[in-house]
Amino acid sequence: MALLGATALVAGFFAYIYTIKRQTYLLIWTLGWAFYSMHFAGAALWPWIPEGPSEIFISRWFYALASIWFFLGAQLYSQRKPWIKPAIAAGAVCGIWSAGNAFHFIPVPLVIPSAFLFVAIAVVFWRESRKQETLADYLLAISFACWAILRVSLFLFFPQASETQQISVRSLSAVPSAFVAMLMVMALYEEEKRRIERNMLALSNLNLATSSFVGGEIQRMLSQALDRVLGVVRLPYGALFLHHGDPQGPTSVVAVGLKDEFSRAVQDEGLDDYLVGLVARLGGLLGFRDLRDDSLSALDKEPSIRRFREIALAQGLRSIVAISLQTKESAFGVLLLGTPDSRRFTPAELRLLLALGHQIGMAVENSYLIQQTSRRSEELHVLNEIGRALSSTLNKEDLLRKVWEELRRLFDVENFYITSLDPTSDEMLFDLEMIDGARMPKRTRPSGNHLSEFIIRTRQPVLIRDNFAEEVKKLGVDPIRTRGCFCGVPLVAYDRAIGAMAVFSDNERVFDEGHLELLREIGRAHV
């Protein structure tokens, strides 16, 4: 009875540790100790229930199953792929073997193959100790080997023990298991320390280089950063919404474990912008232990929070924590981490998450500043080249071609035009027009209430990044296009607007204030 209670307490302890650490091998070890505990149930009930073949069969089979679970846990602990199918087959064979021995069909007891399984566990821990150079793994290997040797020795030297001797034998055989339980806790501590060191080292090397913000590289770099963060906090799902210098909304989104519909819904409904501002205002951290709870907080009165809960619950999430990616000056985005379980984060974990969010925010800010510096250098070079062309040629066609070629070095100008207004005929003359990178023939069209005419009439630049149709309607002009983005500036000579220069794209948020300012400088140089 004492052995049953002691081993049950060990199983309960590892179950509690699993709820905190959420490591799969801890769950496997919990099951192993649970089966080992039930192995003593038959002997504990002997005073009330006489021992029979069925009790012997179940008791010895549970002992073998415990060894199988310990073996699978050792494989997961050492970061090896567990042998699931062989383990299932071994469990079935052990069940048949135990039944055959209990009913006297198989003379060799199940303790022999169980001992081989404990030796295999010892080998796994011995290899891990050689690999990691850890004392706990080395002692675990010795303990499991001694466990196997002791059980086989007791079987060989006490094959026909009396009831009193069997109790003594069982008590003696429990000694190695006590050492194993203590050493497992020690190994858990060492493995946790190694895991944190590995992930913190990986995070300390987090480098979002300037080149990463061009093309698809940003997705790969952010995905690596998110994987490392999830490894530190042991969570299965995460998403990172990044502004990196763009206050109008995230331009980069990566997710791990979540479906594309989650990120798309959060972006389409503007919940990402809402969360970025909300989490920053709340001090950089916002957590929901159980999204199914209808009485979370006063925040639940917000429609955006309720909608976010609906989307998260649809993805199977239960606990979520949001961390602001911010520096001293501004918030660059938000990091969402989630799990389908009810997870309570410790104060130490929350402090770690805040530190990680700050680190990623600083990395993004530094990379953005480096990118902006490089961009300003390129812009200055372009302006110098255009100024040199102005001073070296009077040919209008050569000058227009030079402007377009230099602009291509900085941003997407596959759709670009320079137009002027002929006040005599009241027509718009397109001196240079590029559509999808191809030069269009010169053309004219009647003047109307369009964006180019608006720029010339008001002498004001126009930048439309998204919601094209709505923004054009606000200006009170008739749109020629219905979607995408637009960036245009007036061409002013002798305090009079004579034309306009613009770039446009079918995609949203291609151009920003930097592009607008560059076009203004080129417009001044061109005129």
Side-chain angles (χ1 to χ4, degrees):
M1 186 68 72
L3 292 174
L4 174 63
T7 50
L9 286 175
V10 173
F13 172 77
F14 278 101
Y16 170 73
I17 296 297
Y18 170 73
T19 61
I20 299 176
K21 301 298 183 181
R22 294 294 176 180
Q23 296 285 65
T24 306
Y25 71 86
L26 291 174
L27 178 61
I28 302 301
W29 282 354
T30 300
L31 294 174
W33 284 109
F35 277 110
Y36 186 63
S37 173
M38 290 186 289
H39 153 69
F40 292 111
L45 297 176
W46 280 355
W48 301 278
I49 301 177
E51 184 181 26
S54 299
E55 288 74 16
I56 296 175
F57 154 63
I58 294 175
S59 175
R60 294 177 180 177
W61 189 33
F62 281 169
Y63 181 81
L65 290 177
S67 65
I68 293 174
W69 283 111
F70 285 143
F71 179 75
L72 292 176
Q75 287 184 310
L76 289 171
Y77 169 82
S78 59
Q79 297 183 352
R80 292 182 172 89
K81 185 177 180 180
W83 298 353
I84 302 296
K85 293 182 179 179
I88 295 174
V93 170
C94 288
I96 297 173
W97 194 318
S98 178
N101 179 252
F103 290 95
H104 308 291
F105 296 117
I106 300 177
V108 180
L110 193 59
V111 67
I112 301 301
S114 298
F116 281 108
L117 286 172
F118 280 109
V119 171
I121 299 170
V123 171
V124 173
F125 279 110
W126 179 77
R127 290 180 177 177
E128 186 67 10
S129 69
R130 296 289 299 273
K131 178 182 177 181
Q132 302 292 344
E133 298 182 356
T134 51
L135 177 62
D137 297 334
Y138 179 71
L139 294 178
L140 272 173
I142 295 177
S143 298
F144 274 107
C146 291
W147 193 343
I149 294 172
L150 181 61
R151 286 306 297 259
V152 173
S153 300
L154 292 175
F155 164 71
L156 294 177
F157 293 106
F158 298 94
Q160 301 293 332
S162 64
E163 182 176 338
T164 303
Q165 289 176 328
Q166 287 186 18
I167 295 175
S168 302
V169 167
R170 288 178 181 271
S171 302
L172 181 62
S173 65
V175 173
S177 64
F179 279 101
V180 166
M182 292 185 293
L183 291 172
M184 278 183 172
V185 177
M186 182 177 174
L188 169 64
Y189 170 76
E190 291 189 352
E191 194 276 337
E192 182 76 3
K193 184 172 68 173
R194 291 197 307 270
R195 185 187 61 81
I196 292 177
E197 289 175 352
R198 288 195 303 267
N199 286 290
M200 293 305 295
L201 179 61
L203 286 169
S204 67
N205 295 327
L206 181 62
N207 179 28
L208 302 179
T210 304
S211 60
S212 303
F213 286 90
V214 180
E217 280 292 301
I218 178 65
Q219 302 297 117
R220 183 180 64 84
M221 296 298 294
L222 293 178
S223 180
Q224 290 179 355
L226 182 57
D227 283 334
R228 292 168 183 172
V229 172
L230 291 174
V232 170
V233 296
R234 302 180 304 276
L235 291 176
Y237 305 124
L240 195 155
F241 298 88
L242 183 66
H243 285 210
H244 58 80
D246 180 7
Q248 301 300 321
T251 58
S252 299
V253 179
V254 294
V256 173
L258 297 171
K259 298 179 181 178
D260 294 338
E261 291 79 3
F262 176 83
S263 301
R264 189 179 305 114
V266 170
Q267 280 189 290
D268 293 344
E269 301 186 29
L271 299 178
D272 47 2
D273 293 328
Y274 174 80
L275 288 174
V276 170
L278 176 64
V279 178
R281 292 195 304 271
L282 294 177
L285 189 67
L286 175 63
F288 300 99
R289 184 183 179 188
D290 193 345
L291 290 170
R292 299 176 301 179
D293 187 359
D294 293 330
S295 58
L296 289 175
S297 64
L299 287 175
D300 197 47
K301 298 179 181 178
E302 295 287 335
S304 298
I305 288 292
R306 291 200 300 269
R307 178 56 182 155
F308 175 74
R309 284 180 56 196
E310 293 174 1
I311 296 174
L313 288 172
Q315 292 292 314
L317 299 178
R318 184 173 176 182
S319 296
I320 280 185
V321 61
I323 307 98
S324 178
L325 306 181
Q326 63 183 48
T327 60
K328 293 182 179 180
E329 300 296 331
S330 60
F332 282 87
V334 66
L335 173 65
L336 295 177
L337 305 175
T339 174
D341 305 319
S342 179
R343 171 77 177 270
R344 181 188 294 275
F345 293 90
T346 64
E349 288 176 323
L350 296 177
R351 288 193 296 269
L352 175 62
L353 290 174
L354 281 172
L356 294 178
H358 179 71
Q359 182 183 12
I360 296 176
M362 290 293 294
V364 172
E365 183 184 43
N366 292 337
S367 299
Y368 176 70
L369 292 176
I370 294 174
Q371 181 195 27
Q372 290 297 97
T373 302
S374 176
R375 175 176 165 178
R376 294 292 180 263
S377 177
E378 284 293 327
E379 290 174 356
L380 181 61
H381 177 74
V382 166
L383 290 173
N384 289 335
E385 288 295 323
I386 293 176
R388 187 179 304 172
L390 284 171
S391 62
S392 62
T393 181
L394 297 177
N395 187 291
K396 186 177 181 180
E397 288 296 323
D398 292 342
L399 178 59
L400 293 175
R401 179 180 53 81
K402 185 67 174 178
V403 170
W404 180 68
E405 289 177 352
E406 292 299 327
L407 283 177
R408 290 186 65 184
R409 297 175 52 181
L410 296 179
F411 57 95
D412 178 18
V413 289
E414 295 301 299
N415 299 293
F416 171 78
Y417 68 81
I418 297 178
T419 184
S420 58
L421 176 62
D422 185 351
T424 304
S425 60
D426 195 26
E427 290 182 333
M428 299 296 296
L429 171 63
F430 288 81
D431 298 299
L432 174 64
E433 185 178 17
M434 308 296 299
I435 302 297
D436 294 331
R439 178 76 179 267
M440 298 289 104
K442 289 185 178 181
R443 67 181 178 92
T444 61
R445 66 166 174 80
S447 177
N449 185 29
H450 304 299
L451 273 176
S452 298
E453 289 85 333
F454 175 84
I455 292 173
I456 297 172
R457 183 173 66 252
T458 62
R459 295 173 54 183
Q460 295 297 322
V462 172
L463 174 63
I464 301 176
R465 306 201 59 212
D466 50 20
N467 301 321
F468 187 87
E470 292 82 354
E471 294 298 325
V472 170
K473 186 177 180 180
K474 291 178 183 179
L475 297 176
V477 300
D478 301 327
I480 297 177
R481 304 172 59 251
T482 59
R483 61 189 178 92
C485 60
F486 177 91
C487 181
V489 297
L491 302 177
V492 181
Y494 303 105
D495 201 30
R496 184 172 64 89
I498 61 173
M501 177 170 56
V503 291
F504 58 91
S505 173
D506 290 334
N507 300 317
E508 294 185 344
R509 298 182 178 181
V510 176
F511 310 115
D512 56 24
E513 294 288 346
H515 297 122
L516 183 66
E517 185 61 30
L518 177 62
L519 284 182
R520 294 177 69 174
E521 294 296 330
I522 294 176
R524 295 190 187 103
H526 177 267
V527 175

